[in-house]
Amino acid sequence: MAPFEFMPDSKFLDKSKVQQDMMDRIQETHEDGIIVAPCGCGKSAVIIESLLEAGTLGLVLCYESQGVYQIADAIRENTTLMDCQLFAYSGKVKEVPSGRFVFLITTYGMFSTTGEHRSQRSRQVRDFMMNTEWDLICLDEFHHACAPTYKPMIQKLRAKRKLGFTATLYRSEFCDSKQLSQRNEEQAFGWFGRVLFRRRCKELEEAGLIAKIRRAVVRVDLTPEFARAHAMAKGAQNIYLKALNPAKLNMLVAICAQHNAVGQAGIVFANHLLVAKVAKRYLGDRWEVLSGGAPHGEDEQHTPERNNAIVKRFNAGELD
């Protein structure tokens, strides 16, 4: 029996077919390799189950701090792993792991350099991570692992097994044409291992395992006032005038209201924080702004902790 397991009421016990297929493939194979599957099909749950089955020493590398918080919370809420055995290492939480039961979650960038100016605690965590022989290392958003700053660290990590998880097995610097070829994929990721499992969006859509993706472009004209301002403006002013065009914002509100009326939640992506803030004002109190870092000229800090709280509210149905 594994030392850790899912709690009896864990939502992860009810696996979709694609999640079961991923787990079956991981259990059938024993070498390092890559799992390729679309966003939203449950790769995080598979990462956690793989860690629980592998042993007592597990490492997860994420691309951003938000991923660290989400996986750590999912482990706390769904498994029998104790808090003293789980170490989510980010910019603010820097407890040094120790012992035979350690599950460490951090970002690629946190320890990708030796860091002459690191604190003593940071150096201790890095030394532990690099010197431990892990039962399993899981690399989330694995397509980032080829970055020149990350790859050398990953190659030096010691583990009985390493698994990469991604929805987009692609690096532009290895592609000399619009068509992705097997050769380009091997050139970019062959140093790590072969693809053990692959499912494409179209396959899962046709099987009814994920929602079908529908895309549409809605074109609107500038209002007369914004058209005159646009003709007079220069540079970045034009970008904001087009982004904040009232006709476009009204269309955004109408589209979101249409989906909300049938019980669907949504995400609006904006290129600039100012645009996101104005959109929130139009959309109402049941919307929140999720942003990374401290944007230039903004006093408000968009910390990973705050963003994680917003994601939890969204998942709980408190936000539209």
Side-chain angles (χ1 to χ4, degrees):
M1 181 178 176
F4 309 109
E5 58 188 356
F6 285 126
M7 292 179 180
D9 59 347
S10 170
K11 62 183 180 182
F12 294 153
L13 288 172
D14 184 19
K15 291 195 281 283
S16 68
K17 185 177 185 306
V18 67
Q19 286 175 315
Q20 187 61 60
D21 289 347
M22 278 189 268
M23 279 307 306
D24 288 346
R25 190 60 180 153
I26 290 169
Q27 292 164 344
E28 290 166 3
T29 55
H30 303 283
E31 76 265 37
D32 296 350
I34 307 165
I35 306 296
V36 185
C39 296
C41 69
K43 290 192 293 295
S44 294
V46 173
I47 288 174
I48 295 171
E49 186 171 357
S50 299
L51 289 168
L52 296 179
E53 288 194 356
T56 64
L57 292 170
L59 172 64
V60 182
L61 295 180
C62 303
Y63 181 57
E64 295 178 315
S65 295
Q66 186 64 38
V68 173
Y69 281 89
Q70 287 181 295
I71 289 184
D73 280 349
I75 290 174
R76 289 190 187 99
E77 294 167 6
N78 291 277
T79 77
T80 58
L81 196 69
M82 294 185 288
D83 276 348
C84 63
Q85 298 160 333
L86 179 63
F87 299 84
Y89 195 98
S90 66
K92 288 193 174 182
V93 182
K94 299 182 178 180
E95 188 177 355
V96 180
S98 61
R100 295 188 303 109
F101 300 90
V102 173
F103 286 77
L104 175 61
I105 309 167
T106 188
T107 63
Y108 293 105
M110 187 62 71
F111 299 110
S112 57
T113 59
T114 54
E116 295 178 3
H117 303 292
R118 290 185 183 278
S119 67
Q120 181 181 358
R121 181 172 293 182
S122 178
R123 287 196 297 271
Q124 287 176 317
V125 177
R126 188 181 194 278
D127 289 345
F128 180 88
M129 186 179 82
M130 300 305 296
N131 295 329
T132 296
E133 183 178 0
W134 300 94
D135 291 320
L136 177 65
I137 297 176
C138 292
L139 300 104
D140 197 19
E141 297 192 62
F142 175 72
H143 50 282
H144 293 293
C146 287
T149 50
Y150 301 156
K151 182 179 173 181
M153 175 195 70
I154 293 167
Q155 289 177 311
K156 290 177 183 176
L157 286 168
R158 300 163 55 212
K160 295 175 183 175
R161 192 179 193 187
K162 299 176 187 177
L163 293 172
F165 295 79
T166 182
T168 52
L169 195 62
Y170 170 80
R171 291 290 294 185
S172 59
E173 66 264 37
F174 290 97
C175 297
D176 50 14
S177 67
K178 292 182 179 178
Q179 286 295 111
L180 298 180
S181 69
Q182 187 69 29
R183 180 178 171 275
N184 282 328
E185 192 173 277
E186 290 171 359
Q187 186 181 4
F189 302 102
W191 59 274
F192 185 83
R194 65 189 179 99
V195 174
L196 303 178
F197 177 92
R198 190 194 306 267
R199 289 292 184 276
R200 294 179 172 83
C201 278
K202 189 174 181 182
E203 295 175 65
L204 299 186
E205 284 178 15
E206 291 173 351
L209 297 173
I210 61 172
K212 289 189 175 182
I213 298 172
R214 293 178 294 171
R215 302 176 180 85
V217 176
V218 181
R219 300 191 182 278
V220 296
D221 294 326
L222 289 166
T223 63
E225 297 82 4
F226 269 62
R228 285 197 296 273
H230 187 268
M232 298 165 60
K234 295 180 180 179
Q237 290 176 329
N238 278 327
I239 296 172
Y240 283 112
L241 284 165
K242 286 184 284 191
L244 296 171
N245 171 26
K248 191 175 80 167
L249 289 169
N250 286 337
M251 183 59 69
L252 172 65
V253 172
I255 291 170
C256 290
Q258 183 181 38
H259 285 276
N260 183 248
V262 292
Q264 296 174 342
I267 302 175
V268 174
F269 290 91
N271 278 354
H272 302 277
L273 183 60
L274 173 63
V275 179
K277 285 187 169 182
V278 173
K280 170 181 161 40
R281 195 181 308 163
Y282 268 69
L283 290 166
D285 292 338
R286 283 181 57 88
W287 287 76
E288 285 287 355
V289 175
L290 197 70
S291 173
H296 178 69
E298 293 290 333
D299 295 328
E300 195 174 17
Q301 292 286 321
H302 292 263
T303 63
E305 295 90 347
R306 182 185 166 194
N307 286 343
N308 195 46
I310 292 173
V311 171
K312 282 186 173 181
R313 289 179 62 204
F314 180 76
N315 289 337
E318 296 174 13
L319 298 174
D320 292 337

